């Protein structure tokens, strides 16, 4: 039988740590290996081809580290690269391993949160322009009206530690006003970017209290637990020694300083160049 390995979790930077936190809470016995491509973040403003190339390199790296299963904990990479990786690359490079994203589990469950059947999606340019959320939600819940809003400043604000500052007030209020102007019946707002949970205090300040804020961590964790239940052939290949390792493509000390904000605990990261040339 193939050797056992950890669950790989990949993001363009720190954002995926908000998902990892929920995964570890839900599945505490498993081993995880987190990879943040901090040297090349953000992905949200890049072209399809670039996001696909970077994401594939990250996936190959995590396979080299022995991960039988990878969670792409980045909406932008899930929207732009995942389908190609699953359909085109996986059959060639690792047909017995799996790569899952965050969009599918979110769109499968989003319909259960809204009473008005009007929801809002906030994300990066890459995620919103891909229309992945519109297409997927329409498949599962065709009765729901979806409005989308690109929030181009939210990731830079969080990356620069400005999530509690006055700049955050300005941009959060601006984007919330826009989406509520587009559809005032919205009762559910999805944070379709793994960085955005850090802005929840500001979002709550400017959002009418009846509107639910949905962040993806718990949804993705619940969905992974179900997936492992349905796929014992993958589950039995996962290590369960509660080890959690962190890799970054940029400076490890900077990663450790910033990661706590997203992960809620201290990290000890190692630097990697993804074995690229
Ligand atoms: N964390 C990424 C996401 O969920 C956004 C950050 C980026 O632009 O790289 O979409």
């Amino acid at each position: 039988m193939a050797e056992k390995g950890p669950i790989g979790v990949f993001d363009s930077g720190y954002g995926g740590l908000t998902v990892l936190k929920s995964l570890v809470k839900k599945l505490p016995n498993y081993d995880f290996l987190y990879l943040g491509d901090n040297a090349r973040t953000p992905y949200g403003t890049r072209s399809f081809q670039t996001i696909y190339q970077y994401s594939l390199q990250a996936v190959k790296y995590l396979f080299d580290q022995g991960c039988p299963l990878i969670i792409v904990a980045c909406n932008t990479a899930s929207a732009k690269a995942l389908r190609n990786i699953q359909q085109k690359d996986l059959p060639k490079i690792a047909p017995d391993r799996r790569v899952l994203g965050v969009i599918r589990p979110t769109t499968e469950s989003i319909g259960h949160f809204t009473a008005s059947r009007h929801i809002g999606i906030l994300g990066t340019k890459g995620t919103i322009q891909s229309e992945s959320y519109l297409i997927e939600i329409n498949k599962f819940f065709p009765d729901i009206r979806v409005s989308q809003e690109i929030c181009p400043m939210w990731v830079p604000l969080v990356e620069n530690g400005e999530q509690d500052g006055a700049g955050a007030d300005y941009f959060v209020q601006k984007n919330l006003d826009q989406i509520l102007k587009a559809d005032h019946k919205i009762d559910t707002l999805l944070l379709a970017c793994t960085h955005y949970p850090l802005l929840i205090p500001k979002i709550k300040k400017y959002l009418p209290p009846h509107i639910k804020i949905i962040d993806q961590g718990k949804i993705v964790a619940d969905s992974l637990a179900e997936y492992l239940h349905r796929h014992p052939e993958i589950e039995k290949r996962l290590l369960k020694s509660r080890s959690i390792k962190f890799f970054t493509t940029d400076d490890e000390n900077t990663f450790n300083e910033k990661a706590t904000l997203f992960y809620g605990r201290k990290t000890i990261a190692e630097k990697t160049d993804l074995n690229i040339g």
Side-chain angles (χ1 to χ4, degrees), residues 11-16 40-45 73-77 102 123-124 127 155 159 192-196 216:
D11 183 58
S12 59
Y14 300 106
R40 303 188 293 192
T41 201
Y43 281 14
T45 47
C74 173
N75 285 275
T76 310
V102 290
T124 65
T127 299
V155 168
E159 284 282 322
C193 172
T194 52
H195 278 68
Y196 295 177
Q216 295 174 298

Side-chain angles (χ1 to χ4, degrees), residues 50 77 100 121 152 155 162 203 242 259 264 268:
T50 302
L100 307 174
I121 312 263
V155 168
E162 287 292 333
I203 297 171
R242 296 176 169 246
I268 302 173

Side-chain angles (χ1 to χ4, degrees), residues 151-198:
C151 307
M153 293 305 292
W154 290 22
V155 168
L157 281 166
V158 171
E159 284 282 322
N160 288 290
E162 287 292 333
Q163 65 279 352
D164 300 320
D169 279 279
Y170 176 81
F171 286 107
V172 166
Q173 187 174 23
K174 180 178 167 184
N175 292 120
L176 293 181
D177 283 353
Q178 301 268 51
I179 198 159
L180 294 179
K181 210 160 78 186
D183 183 357
H184 68 278
K185 291 191 184 154
I186 288 172
D187 70 350
T188 304
L189 196 64
L190 173 68
L191 308 185
C193 172
T194 52
H195 278 68
Y196 295 177
L198 273 83

Side-chain angles (χ1 to χ4, degrees), residues 39-250:
R40 303 188 293 192
T41 201
Y43 281 14
T45 47
R46 297 187 191 275
S47 69
F48 172 88
Q49 196 51 37
T50 302
I51 296 168
Y52 168 55
Q53 182 199 339
Y54 289 178
S55 304
L56 183 58
Q57 285 166 347
V59 163
K60 283 182 175 168
Y61 177 80
L62 289 169
F63 282 155
D64 284 349
Q65 302 303 308
C67 300
L69 173 68
I70 296 171
I71 307 297
V72 177
C74 173
N75 285 275
T76 310
S78 293
K80 296 276 199 176
L82 186 63
R83 185 188 293 263
N84 259 356
I85 291 174
Q86 284 173 332
Q87 294 180 357
K88 210 171 91 200
D89 301 295
L90 206 56
K92 281 187 272 176
I93 59 175
D96 61 333
R97 306 195 196 193
R98 292 293 171 264
V99 184
L100 307 174
V102 290
I103 296 180
R104 178 74 188 250
T106 308
T107 52
E108 269 175 2
S109 63
I110 195 75
H112 307 307
F113 297 97
T114 169
S116 72
R117 314 311 276 166
H118 289 247
I119 69 166
I121 312 263
L122 305 173
T124 65
K125 186 169 161 228
T127 299
I128 299 300
Q129 287 186 347
S130 75
E131 301 206 335
S132 302
Y133 274 97
L134 287 181
I135 297 163
E136 291 292 314
I137 293 173
N138 191 42
K139 267 191 226 157
F140 296 116
F141 304 101
D143 62 315
I144 290 182
R145 174 167 166 193
V146 182
S147 301
Q148 302 198 103
E149 172 79 6
I150 299 171
C151 307
M153 293 305 292
W154 290 22
V155 168
L157 281 166
V158 171
E159 284 282 322
N160 288 290
E162 287 292 333
Q163 65 279 352
D164 300 320
D169 279 279
Y170 176 81
F171 286 107
V172 166
Q173 187 174 23
K174 180 178 167 184
N175 292 120
L176 293 181
D177 283 353
Q178 301 268 51
I179 198 159
L180 294 179
K181 210 160 78 186
D183 183 357
H184 68 278
K185 291 191 184 154
I186 288 172
D187 70 350
T188 304
L189 196 64
L190 173 68
L191 308 185
C193 172
T194 52
H195 278 68
Y196 295 177
L198 273 83
L199 287 163
I200 286 177
K202 291 284 188 221
I203 297 171
K204 281 191 173 155
K205 194 167 156 188
Y206 295 106
L207 203 64
H210 72 277
I211 300 181
K212 279 192 219 96
I213 303 166
I214 309 294
D215 92 69
Q216 295 174 298
K218 187 173 180 310
I219 294 175
V220 174
D222 289 348
S223 163
L224 179 59
E226 268 175 42
Y227 178 88
L228 295 179
H229 190 68
R230 279 185 280 115
H231 293 275
E233 77 287 2
I234 298 288
E235 200 281 336
K236 69 179 183 224
R237 292 170 58 195
L238 298 174
L239 281 170
K240 276 169 254 176
S241 67
R242 296 176 169 246
S243 147
I244 304 170
K245 289 193 180 143
F246 299 87
F247 288 88
T248 173
T249 53
D250 208 345

